Structures are given as structure tokens and as C-alpha cells.
Amino acid sequence: MKHIVIIGNGISGITAARHIRKLSSYRITVISSETKHFYSRTALMYIYMGHMNYENTKPYEDYFWKKNKIDLVFDHVNKVETASKSLQLQSGNTIEYDSLIIASGSKSNKFGWPGQHLQGVQGLYSYNDLLQMETITRKTKRAVIVGGGLIGIEMAEMLLSRNISVTFLVREPEFWSNVLPLQDANLISRHVRSHHVDLKLRSELQEIQADENGWVKSVTTHTGEIIPCQFVGLTVGVSPNIEFLKNSGIETKSGVLVDEYLQTNVEDVYALGDCVQRSYELPGRKTIEQVWYTGRMMGEVVAQTVCGEKTKYQPGPWFNSAKFFNIEYQTYGNVWPDLKAEEDEYYWEHPSGQKAMHIVWNKHSLLFLGINAFGIRLRHECFDRWLREKRDVTHVVRHLREANFDPEFFTRHENEIQESIALKFPSLKISSLV
Ligand SMILES: Cc1cc2nc3c(=O)[nH]c(=O)nc-3n(C[C@H](O)[C@H](O)[C@H](O)COP(=O)(O)OP(=O)(O)OC[C@H]3O[C@@H](n4cnc5c(N)ncnc54)[C@H](O)[C@@H]3O)c2cc1C
């Protein structure tokens, strides 16, 4: 019987395994060295904050795997030998495959800072990182987080939940302004500060110093400022976890290179999720996308292909969501940090500084290009449809109310937004309807 081996039991590998099981009776083996069972990585922060325990983060009960004939191997793949179609495991065991699916995820970036390997310095990616953070921060009074992205802000919220003071070193002029336009990023900077985080913008880590026992005692910034601390969180992004593929013959750049069927250059070897770099372009999408839902989509797609129905990966318009303390963020389409020459934009912010909307369109064709929403929930289905149907901005603004997903008793702002955009851009002809 055909043997499908999957490296990685995260959302990508597990979605592939589940869908292959639905479509076939192939033998399926999932190998992972992080945890025995699949858990939700996005819930790590809630374990630390006491809202959940590890068991609650497992989407499936432990009996699910045996019942569905999915073999789980808790081991590390040291080497992939594509010529003999076999894997060398840390335990000394060898596993042979007919088809291999690599879903090995990401690892936290470290940029060679002096002191980055000291005790008390870590990233946040794995369950083990969480356990380590749990132990180390028991006695932490002050922490420094380096890098202002989505994992950094989660780490700040985690530490604050235990009354640990947080200093945030962020290289950009505003929080996450390498991704968000300045207005949006400024709103988030203000919100972060309102949570008593010592946010230092345009600030870079120079060096981490140790005490006499090898534990972190302070960091120095590029301006020479010394900040005493007992914990340093390095949250300067993640990159594909692919070192073990060296010399395997599987082509990699920053990630494992795949074609539109998620196939690598080697026959019967596929790759999915965070570890992947698409070798071809898709409009409005990056070639490496390290988010939960793309891993899940890829898992569904590859299952079809492996089971004989060759299927292209077509993720459609970009979307994402996150939370910055109390402010929920959603993005649909493309709102780049810098407005492009052919684009126009409208930014609306509520006086509370807790809600905002940023709409971008093509100034010549009026084609709607993307939206960022903060503190206002939008319906994914509406924006996905409008983007696929290539609607113009007038249509989108006129139908904003339809896209609002806030609970009934929430204050609505569509009229206000429509009126002010109509005033600023009379040529959009929105005013006739508001
Ligand atoms: C703290 C945190 C919060 C996040 N929050 C969000 C969010 O809110 N929304 C969102 O969209 N995304 C979020 N992400 C990103 C999201 O979790 C990832 O995009 C997703 O988990 C990637 O899934 P994956 O299956 O591709 O890889 P992973 O989940 O990384 O799974 C890969 C697994 O393979 C194992 N592995 C790797 N190499 C080997 C080997 N050689 N041998 C054996 N096992 C191996 C790894 O240990 C790992 O367990 C978050 C990430 C983190 C760290």
C-alpha cells in the first residue's frame, strides 16, 4: 500500500493527513519532534495567561489518530535521502516513503547579536519556548522585547498579564510600520503605549549583557542606552525551518521551492505551510506566507494531488487578522505600507483612537484594492467577493454596512465614514446615497 510520510504535525501537515485519509486508504505517517500531538500554536499565549491549558489547545482528542489510522511518530528527521526515498531519524530509525510531504514550519530569527544565546534570552515559536518562558519569567520584573511584530505584541501582553514591565525595541518609526501604513501603525503605537508598555521606536538592539552566572542582566541599544532586565524576547520574525534538508537534492532558497501543485523539484516530494517558498508569483501575495490559514489551504490542496486529483494552489485575495491588545485588526486585499503612485487612500479614525479604517483603490480605474480595519469587525465573505469580482471603491463604500460583522449593540460608523469619504472624494459619487 502507498505510504505517505508527512514531516511536521502543525496545521499544514495535519490538514494534509486528515484530507488524505478522507480521500484514500493509504498508509499515513506523521513525524514531529515538537509535541506528540497536534496543538494550536496560535493559542500558546492563552496557556501562559491561564485562559487554557495545553490539553485544551489540541483540536482533536488523542484517540482520533488511531481511529483514523494516522500513525504518529514522535522523533526528529535528521536527513532526507531522496534517492532511496527514506528518512533518517534522530532515534536511529529509518522510514521509507512513497510520497513525502514536508510541513516543517518556521523557526525564530536571530541576527547574531552578542549575547543572544544567554540564559533568559529566547524567541516564542514552539511549545518548548512557552515552557521555557514560563520557567524563566517567574522571577522576571522587567523584560525587553526586540522586534515589533505580531508575536512580539503577544509576548508583551503575556508578560504584562504577570505584572512584568515591558520595554519594546522597535526599529521602525511606528509599530509594525514595515507592514502597516504610517497612520495605522501610529494608532497601534498609541494603543501599545496606553497599556503602559515602554515603546522605544527607531530603536535597535546592540548587545545583551550577562551577569556572573551567564543570565541576561541588561541590553544595550544602538544609541548606547543600557536597559536592565531579566528576560529578553527576540521576536524579529520567523524563517522557514529547512536546515535538515541540506544535501537532500530538494531545492530551497529561503524556503522549500514549490510549483503551483506544491511539488518540489524532486518527484513525489511536496511541501506546505510556513516552510514553503513559491517559485512563481501570485498577484498581491508574497512567495513566503507564514499564516495559519494558508497552511490549512495548502494541506487540503496537496491531499487532492497526492490522491490522484492534481490540484493547483489558488489562495485568492490576501487576508489576515490579528489582535493588538484590545484592538482587533483585519486586512483584505493589499494595503501596502507605502501608497503606490497609482493608488489613492482614505483613512478614517474614531476619536477614541480604538477604531480605524483604511481603504485603498486605484486612482485611475477606481478598482478597490484593499482595506485595513481596526476595532470594527468585517465579514470576510463580503471583501473576498468584492475583491474577486473586481468591484470599484464606490461599490465597496456604499455597501460597507453589509460587510459590518460587529454584534448588534455595537455603535455603527458606516454613515460617518461614507459622509467623510464623499466629502473628501466627491468624484467617487458616494454622496448621492448617504
Ligand atoms: C506565538 C504565535 C502566534 C501566532 N498567531 C497566529 C495568528 O494569530 N494567526 C495566524 O494566521 N498565524 C499565527 N501564527 C503563525 C502560525 O502559527 C503558523 O503560520 C502555522 O502554525 C504554521 O503551520 P505549519 O504547519 O506550516 O508549521 P508548524 O506549526 O511550525 O509545524 C511544523 C512542525 O514540524 C516540526 N518539525 C520541523 N522540522 C522537523 C524535523 N526535521 N523533524 C521532525 N519534526 C520537525 C516542528 O517542530 C513543528 O512542530 C502564530 C505563530 C506563533 C509562533
Side-chain angles (χ1 to χ4, degrees), residues 7-13 31-34 41-42 75-77 103-106 124-125 151 154 241 244 272-274 290-292 320:
I7 304 176
N9 68 354
I11 182 66
S12 313
I31 311 170
S32 212
S33 50
E34 182 184 357
R41 191 173 301 293
T42 55
D75 207 333
H76 192 75
V77 177
S104 55
S106 297
L124 176 62
Y125 190 82
I151 297 180
E154 288 195 358
N241 183 11
F244 68 101
L272 310 179
D274 273 29
Q290 289 142 324
V291 286
W292 185 264
N320 198 11

